[in-house]
Amino acid sequence: MTSTAAPATVVVDGGTNSPRAAAGSTAGTCTSTSSAVGSSNCATTLSPLNSPLDVPLGAVAPVQGWPDTWIAAAGTGIALLTPDGALEWLDRPEDRTPFPSRMNDGVADPAGRFWAGSMAYDGTPAAGSLYRTDPDGTVVRVLDGLTIANGPAFTADGTTMYLADTAVGTILRCRIDPLSGDLLGSPETFARLRDDEGSPDGMTVDAEGCLWVALWGARAVRRYHPDGHLLHTLAVPAPHPTSVCLPPDDSRLFVTTARYGVTNPTATSGAVLGFPVPVGGTAGCSWRGRL
């Protein structure tokens, strides 16, 4: 295992309303950025809305064939975010849960489905779920018993999904039927972090099939081999890295960071940072909804 403190470039400066792309932002504001929108999708840019949303925004992915239209994990469910900033709800499954909850991180998979997790506002253990939105707009609960679901990330062939439960320090690996989207068996524990190692947050899979994980509270991003052993730790000049993005045609890793809960924050908190890395990502994915 290697560790580096590569020089970071500030791509988007930190600030009170800076983006937390795919990291469970509660500001409800979409901001233009070259960073990831939906964990591993680095191929698109989200234009600013005319006004903030009136619900918390967790993550978005582009809708294939519909410019400036996004599928969003927002508020208590899944919605289409239209070019004028309106939300058209597909379902609000978290309205039917016993705890006040919101949607959190999400990503589109290579087959064109959208996956997003949820969490209780107060962090109630096991109150969160993972949902899959199929191309026909049906929203299906795939897993429950999670606490803070973060970072869905897929291998390029769509057969493996990694999922972080941030509150318990666990990264799960799920085998997926790429045709149906169903889980093949129960999730297995891919990695378990100690309290002093930080909490796994946003993730992405690179072109070599390795998993990159932002570690909230640890000032670090880790890269894991598919067999689970730790390959590399990258130091981040901010306390709370929230998500990661690897464009397929760039030699940089983009890292979003949080300003929330940071005493005397600098410009690197609540920012998008770029780091030189020797490996690229895979092509960004869109939701292939039949609108």
Side-chain angles (χ1 to χ4, degrees):
M1 188 272 289
T2 60
S3 298
T4 60
T9 300
V10 179
V11 180
V12 177
D13 201 357
T16 303
N17 294 315
S18 293
R20 289 185 58 203
S25 170
T26 58
T29 302
C30 294
T31 308
S32 179
T33 173
S34 60
S35 173
V37 180
S39 280
S40 59
N41 181 6
C42 302
T44 53
T45 299
L46 180 59
S47 301
L49 298 179
N50 293 327
S51 60
L53 303 177
D54 60 1
V55 295
L57 177 63
V60 298
V63 177
Q64 182 174 285
W66 291 78
D68 298 323
T69 300
W70 306 80
I71 186 169
T76 55
I78 306 296
L80 296 179
L81 180 57
T82 63
D84 62 1
L87 286 174
E88 299 178 1
W89 293 100
L90 298 177
D91 195 5
R92 299 186 189 185
E94 291 296 296
D95 282 345
R96 302 185 288 273
T97 60
F99 304 99
S101 301
R102 67 171 175 87
M103 300 302 298
N104 199 39
D105 207 351
V107 69
D109 72 10
R113 294 174 285 258
F114 183 64
W115 301 70
S118 67
M119 59 175 288
Y121 276 101
D122 65 0
T124 298
S129 297
L130 177 70
Y131 297 95
R132 185 190 73 230
T133 305
D134 292 330
D136 65 359
T138 301
V139 179
V140 179
R141 179 183 277 110
V142 178
L143 287 173
D144 56 17
L146 305 168
T147 300
I148 300 178
N150 255 313
F154 283 83
T155 55
D157 62 5
T159 62
T160 300
M161 176 184 66
Y162 296 96
L163 178 70
D165 194 341
T166 302
V168 298
T170 300
I171 302 171
L172 302 175
R173 178 165 55 192
C174 306
R175 304 299 182 185
I176 306 293
D177 182 334
L179 295 179
S180 67
D182 293 336
L183 269 62
L184 301 176
S186 300
E188 61 181 348
T189 298
F190 176 76
R192 189 183 304 276
L193 282 73
R194 302 187 309 268
D195 290 344
D196 62 354
E197 293 181 293
S199 301
D201 205 329
M203 305 186 292
T204 193
V205 178
D206 66 28
E208 297 177 356
C210 297
L211 180 70
W212 295 76
V213 184
L215 297 180
W216 175 278
R219 297 178 175 267
V221 169
R222 285 184 173 182
R223 184 184 187 225
Y224 288 92
H225 189 274
D227 67 9
H229 81 264
L230 179 60
L231 292 172
H232 185 74
T233 299
L234 175 69
V236 176
H240 298 319
T242 58
S243 198
V244 286
C245 166
L246 279 166
D249 54 357
D250 200 326
S251 58
R252 289 182 294 173
L253 171 74
F254 293 102
V255 179
T256 55
T257 66
R259 198 174 181 87
Y260 175 80
V262 179
T263 303
N264 300 320
T266 67
T268 58
S269 288
V272 181
L273 308 176
F275 298 85
V277 292
V279 64
T282 58
C285 300
S286 302
W287 183 61
R288 299 178 196 168
R290 297 188 287 271
L291 303 180

